[in-house]
Amino acid sequence: MKVKIRNKKKDYRTVWFSKGRVWMLDQPKLPFKFQIAKFKNYKATTNAIKTMIVRGAPAIGATAAYATAQAVLAFKGSDLNEFNKYMGTAAAHIKKARPTAVDLEHAVDRVVKSLRICDQVKECKVVAEQEAEAIAQEYIAVCKKIGENGNKLIDDNSRILTHCNAGWLATVDWGTALAPIYYAKRFGKKVFVFVDETRPRMQGARLTAWELAQEGIEHAVIADNSAGYYMQQGEIDLCIVGADRIAANGDVANKIGTYEKAVLAKENGIPFYVAAPRMTFDFKCPSGDQIPIEERSGEEVTKIFSEKGIVQVANPSSPARNPAFDVTPAKYIKGYITEKGVLKKEELKKLL
Amino acid sequence: MKVKIRNKKKDYRTVWFSKGRVWMLDQPKLPFKFQIAKFKNYKATTNAIKTMIVRGAPAIGATAAYATAQAVLAFKGSDLNEFNKYMGTAAAHIKKARPTAVDLEHAVDRVVKSLRICDQVKECKVVAEQEAEAIAQEYIAVCKKIGENGNKLIDDNSRILTHCNAGWLATVDWGTALAPIYYAKRFGKKVFVFVDETRPRMQGARLTAWELAQEGIEHAVIADNSAGYYMQQGEIDLCIVGADRIAANGDVANKIGTYEKAVLAKENGIPFYVAAPRMTFDFKCPSGDQIPIEERSGEEVTKIFSEKGIVQVANPSSPARNPAFDVTPAKYIKGYITEKGVLKKEELKKLL
């Protein structure tokens, strides 16, 4: 997508690979600073996932694919057995970066699997880089398709609630939950987006609001507490969110607070959609209660990102708890916006 | 309640009257600074309500009573007709400070009404000060009674969710929603409090967390988004919140986000209680949709209180919307903890 910097518009992707390095927009610095970070080996790239320089299930997937390629490129020697052992360790290291987004695992496995056709280590190096780039390109194509399919759900003058950031910053380009909104805009529809600020890490207020401002889409940031109020007042027509992992039964793990909004949408008769590519579905996982939920440091609650850096906002002598995700049972979800169309829970097997 | 400052414990009320001045704990500065602010006339005191140096329906009520007494004391002259005209203007000015909390209106009206027995302006000055102090004292007694009544709902080892601050900082002493918890603690019960941080103004993270830390009650601050998650996980036994105005049919206006938590509590089979004194009930208001909801500046969302002052947290080019309260329909409320006992919706007329 295009970013306007000092009055010039330039095309950016969230993450890309060049000269053996992984480059990405430094997301904890946004929107106060637009800065590009680069990582020269797979351990540094894995750490960037862990510390959330990059976040969002598809963006994590693409980054993990690039990290896997970096691991392949770094191997010194030509013994395939040694190489395979080394890659086993490297792949396990990358996969451990974060537990909830299944794209991470899927992307690493796919790059490793692609190497099976190779007879020589040097061949692996070519194939790994190609496969990683193919994954990133597929995410772009798939997100565009999600935009196309989701656009059909959006009437002119719709007022849409979204939670967290499932925009192009959470993917490689286009986004998942925001892709239908960008598509609708390009087709001349007028939309208004209520942006849940999404405490504790404020991905809504910082990233989604920034993206929408870049795209010239009318929006307002709201405290997460206000979403229910606007639903009750009849000011929200539909909700679209992203996902970190979707179980076989349609239960969705996504940013903490998604479950709250889904329950409130149901209570107020508002359709609640989840937008996600095939890569975010985990058909090996039967239901949401099997999805591991990452508990992050309480300091993400007691402190906050601001223009003045990270500052304390809670009573200093009080502890905090910080589950990063929650699981929304499938019964609250009206449909899944995927590259294969808008599917109902019963139709998810079409993705297999 | 006792406040520990530099290792010494000292008793404080949230607001008090002395030598014609209204003194209060400066709440936007808490918990980073413990500071006392004083206001020398009714306009300054009214402004302190407007700018939320003091907040919480009962604390606003007591402060408004003191402001009315200040207006009476400031009148120069002895003509009762002129005095009454002057007081009409002053009372209207004070009542306009904030629209949602009905205690404000009730307290001002009560002080003005108390003057009817006076034949002389100088008599009014004595009566007004006495009546204002009586209102503050009644709030203390009534909140203590709310604590006593609410304590019966709390089992040993209960895990309680509260939203915003309805502690002693929101009243003159004791609190409404927190009074039962303080009472339970004094009776030797172990409780754990999940403290919704309560964006945008963070009264939970700043004030409730500070109060609970002062009282040595085990607690954790959580992002408002996490409350639903902990309910779903079976980690919350009951919810207690305060109120800014309760309509005749039992609908409750309270801090934005209360409605969300009430819907989630119902969905998860968790009892949801509202603690409030008689003064917060507005029997002239038939239902919640008649309660005026204050819309405050969007800057309360895009910026946040922190140890480094007020800092920008949202994308700087994005607007925000900021309803300060919402209305929770009576059907989500299990009971009302009042000075007359824990009442069901059908029993609210006992308060008349």
Side-chain angles (χ1 to χ4, degrees):
Chain A
M1 304 291 260
K2 290 198 189 308
V3 179
K4 199 172 178 182
I5 298 160
R6 289 183 218 92
N7 284 321
K8 273 194 191 155
K9 284 203 172 189
K10 204 184 149 189
D11 260 307
Y12 279 98
R13 279 168 43 173
T14 302
V15 56
W16 64 97
F17 193 75
S18 168
K19 296 173 189 156
R21 293 188 176 175
V22 178
W23 308 66
M24 51 184 94
L25 306 189
D26 191 334
Q27 299 197 34
K29 295 211 168 65
L30 279 173
F32 306 114
K33 264 186 203 158
F34 182 85
Q35 210 167 294
I36 290 155
K38 63 170 188 273
F39 302 92
K40 63 179 179 185
N41 58 47
Y42 83 87
K43 285 190 178 165
T45 305
T46 303
N47 202 46
I49 297 173
K50 201 179 282 180
T51 58
M52 298 178 73
I53 306 297
V54 65
R55 24 66 53 202
I60 289 173
T63 307
Y66 288 142
T68 313
Q70 280 183 311
V72 176
L73 292 175
F75 182 75
K76 287 184 176 69
S78 58
D79 185 304
L80 260 181
N81 282 336
E82 262 180 50
F83 171 74
N84 287 334
K85 211 173 122 187
Y86 156 85
M87 277 310 296
T89 311
H93 177 86
I94 300 165
K95 284 197 218 173
K96 269 194 308 207
R98 294 191 65 197
T100 306
V102 77
D103 294 64
L104 171 55
E105 204 177 308
H106 284 166
V108 174
D109 286 347
R110 192 172 138 184
V111 175
V112 171
K113 213 169 151 186
S114 74
L115 307 177
R116 285 189 198 158
I117 57 157
C118 309
D119 299 324
Q120 288 184 306
V121 170
K122 67 176 181 188
E123 211 186 324
C124 290
K125 296 191 181 190
V126 178
V127 170
E129 196 173 332
Q130 282 172 350
E131 188 70 13
E133 190 53 37
I135 289 175
Q137 291 296 344
E138 271 178 45
Y139 269 126
I140 297 173
V142 149
C143 285
K144 195 162 177 238
K145 196 75 194 160
I146 287 173
E148 202 179 315
N149 292 334
N151 173 35
K152 295 168 199 155
L153 302 169
I154 300 176
D155 293 330
D156 196 19
N157 293 310
S158 286
R159 297 155 306 171
I160 304 167
L161 175 77
T162 191
H163 190 69
C164 195
N165 173 264
W168 67 270
L169 289 167
T171 62
V172 185
D173 207 343
W174 281 94
T176 52
L178 297 190
I181 294 169
Y182 295 143
Y183 228 86
K185 167 91 192 305
R186 287 178 200 196
F187 276 76
K189 294 181 199 168
K190 198 171 171 313
V191 290
F192 182 90
V193 184
F194 284 95
V195 179
D196 272 352
E197 63 176 11
T198 319
R199 279 284 285 154
R201 290 180 67 96
M202 301 288 270
Q203 294 95 333
R206 293 191 300 110
L207 307 179
T208 297
W210 180 78
E211 278 194 31
L212 295 173
Q214 293 286 340
E215 291 284 318
I217 289 170
E218 219 191 320
H219 65 285
V221 177
I222 57 170
D224 302 301
N225 281 324
S226 306
Y229 171 81
Y230 287 114
M231 289 188 198
Q232 195 189 28
Q233 298 291 310
E235 293 196 42
I236 292 174
D237 301 307
L238 79 162
C239 307
I240 314 179
V241 301
D244 287 83
R245 188 186 298 225
I246 303 175
N249 72 341
D251 292 352
V252 171
N254 191 45
K255 180 58 54 213
I256 190 73
T258 304
Y259 165 67
E260 293 197 354
K261 307 316 149 191
V263 169
L264 286 153
K266 181 113 183 171
E267 191 76 4
N268 287 284
I270 297 164
F272 191 92
Y273 291 98
V274 174
R278 166 67 186 90
M279 287 276 269
T280 302
F281 285 80
D282 183 1
F283 287 99
K284 286 183 293 185
C285 179
S287 63
D289 52 1
Q290 311 283 309
I291 301 174
I293 296 296
E294 180 179 5
E295 176 119 13
R296 296 182 61 88
S297 161
E299 288 205 349
E300 291 188 352
V301 177
T302 56
K303 298 177 195 301
I304 196 168
F305 289 106
S306 80
E307 60 181 342
K308 292 190 178 164
I310 293 172
V311 294
Q312 177 80 26
V313 287
N315 178 47
S317 65
S318 294
R321 289 184 65 183
N322 182 25
F325 303 94
D326 58 26
V327 172
T328 301
K331 68 173 172 177
Y332 298 108
I333 299 162
K334 169 100 174 170
Y336 303 79
I337 309 171
T338 76
E339 64 267 41
K340 304 272 189 198
V342 181
L343 307 176
K344 293 198 180 304
K345 184 176 61 172
E346 300 73 26
E347 301 171 311
L348 292 180
K349 46 181 142 351
K350 284 190 188 169
L351 296 171
L352 279 168
Chain B
M1 303 291 261
K2 290 198 191 306
V3 179
K4 200 172 175 180
I5 297 160
R6 289 181 216 95
N7 284 320
K8 273 194 190 155
K9 284 202 172 189
K10 203 182 151 190
D11 262 307
Y12 280 97
R13 279 168 44 173
T14 302
V15 56
W16 64 99
F17 193 77
S18 168
K19 295 175 189 155
R21 294 187 176 179
V22 178
W23 308 66
M24 50 184 96
L25 305 189
D26 191 334
Q27 299 197 38
K29 295 213 169 65
L30 279 173
F32 306 113
K33 265 187 204 157
F34 182 85
Q35 211 167 294
I36 290 156
K38 62 171 190 269
F39 301 92
K40 63 179 179 185
N41 59 47
Y42 83 88
K43 285 190 178 165
T45 304
T46 302
N47 202 45
I49 296 172
K50 201 179 282 181
T51 58
M52 299 178 71
I53 306 296
V54 65
R55 24 66 53 202
I60 288 173
T63 307
Y66 288 143
T68 313
Q70 280 183 312
V72 175
L73 291 175
F75 183 75
K76 287 186 177 69
S78 58
D79 184 304
L80 259 181
N81 282 337
E82 261 179 50
F83 171 74
N84 287 337
K85 210 172 126 191
Y86 157 87
M87 277 310 296
T89 311
H93 177 86
I94 300 165
K95 284 196 217 173
K96 267 193 308 204
R98 293 191 66 199
T100 306
V102 77
D103 295 63
L104 171 56
E105 204 177 307
H106 283 167
V108 174
D109 286 346
R110 193 172 137 183
V111 175
V112 171
K113 212 168 152 186
S114 75
L115 307 178
R116 286 191 198 156
I117 56 158
C118 307
D119 299 322
Q120 288 186 306
V121 171
K122 66 176 182 188
E123 211 185 325
C124 289
K125 296 189 181 193
V126 177
V127 170
E129 197 172 333
Q130 282 172 350
E131 189 69 13
E133 190 53 36
I135 289 174
Q137 292 295 344
E138 271 177 44
Y139 269 126
I140 298 173
V142 149
C143 285
K144 194 159 179 244
K145 196 74 194 159
I146 287 173
E148 202 180 317
N149 293 334
N151 173 37
K152 295 168 199 157
L153 302 169
I154 299 176
D155 293 330
D156 196 19
N157 293 309
S158 286
R159 297 156 306 171
I160 303 167
L161 175 77
T162 191
H163 190 70
C164 195
N165 173 265
W168 67 270
L169 289 168
T171 61
V172 185
D173 207 344
W174 280 94
T176 52
L178 297 190
I181 294 169
Y182 294 143
Y183 227 86
K185 166 91 192 303
R186 287 178 199 195
F187 277 77
K189 294 180 199 168
K190 198 170 170 314
V191 290
F192 182 89
V193 183
F194 283 95
V195 180
D196 272 352
E197 63 177 11
T198 319
R199 281 281 287 152
R201 290 181 67 97
M202 300 289 270
Q203 294 94 333
R206 294 191 299 110
L207 307 179
T208 297
W210 180 78
E211 278 193 32
L212 294 172
Q214 293 287 340
E215 291 284 318
I217 289 170
E218 220 190 319
H219 65 284
V221 177
I222 57 170
D224 303 300
N225 281 324
S226 305
Y229 170 81
Y230 287 114
M231 290 188 198
Q232 196 189 28
Q233 298 291 310
E235 292 196 42
I236 293 173
D237 301 307
L238 79 161
C239 306
I240 313 180
V241 300
D244 287 81
R245 188 186 298 225
I246 304 175
N249 73 341
D251 292 351
V252 172
N254 191 44
K255 180 59 53 217
I256 189 74
T258 303
Y259 165 67
E260 293 197 354
K261 308 315 151 192
V263 169
L264 286 153
K266 180 111 183 175
E267 190 76 4
N268 287 284
I270 298 164
F272 192 92
Y273 291 98
V274 173
R278 165 67 185 91
M279 286 274 271
T280 302
F281 285 80
D282 183 2
F283 286 100
K284 286 184 291 182
C285 178
S287 63
D289 52 1
Q290 311 282 311
I291 301 174
I293 297 295
E294 180 179 4
E295 176 119 13
R296 296 183 61 89
S297 162
E299 288 206 349
E300 291 187 351
V301 177
T302 55
K303 297 177 196 300
I304 196 169
F305 290 106
S306 80
E307 60 180 342
K308 291 191 180 163
I310 293 173
V311 294
Q312 177 80 23
V313 287
N315 178 48
S317 65
S318 294
R321 289 184 63 183
N322 182 24
F325 303 93
D326 58 25
V327 172
T328 300
K331 67 175 174 177
Y332 298 107
I333 298 161
K334 169 101 175 170
Y336 302 79
I337 310 172
T338 75
E339 63 267 40
K340 303 274 187 196
V342 181
L343 306 177
K344 294 198 180 305
K345 184 178 60 174
E346 301 73 27
E347 300 171 312
L348 291 180
K349 46 181 140 352
K350 284 189 188 170
L351 296 171
L352 278 169

